[in-house]
Amino acid sequence: ISCILLGIWRAHWNVVFEDTPFVPDLIITSIRTLLNTLQRELLLSKFALPPPDVSTSTYGIHNNPL
């Protein structure tokens, strides 16, 4: 739902600020692109390494030798 709303709002604001016509076919294409991008990002995040734990990092403030 969020990609659909984002696509519609982007089209609306393009009408308001860019004087671009509101073309449903282009909006649907934009929404499909948003959905594909989201799907790829979610897939990548499944395989991404978790962020490092700063408290155990050699650069963390807890390991300061001073």
Side-chain angles (χ1 to χ4, degrees), residues 15-35:
V15 168
V16 172
F17 292 114
E18 304 293 331
D19 200 28
T20 306
F22 194 87
V23 181
D25 290 340
L26 294 177
I27 296 166
I28 291 170
T29 301
S30 172
I31 291 169
R32 285 186 178 143
T33 301
L34 288 167
L35 287 168

Side-chain angles (χ1 to χ4, degrees), residues 8 12-13 18 20 22 25 31 34 37 40-41 56 59 64:
I8 292 170
H12 169 73
W13 290 118
E18 304 293 331
T20 306
F22 194 87
D25 290 340
I31 291 169
L34 288 167
T37 301
R40 284 193 310 269
E41 288 175 358
T56 60
Y59 301 107
N64 191 347

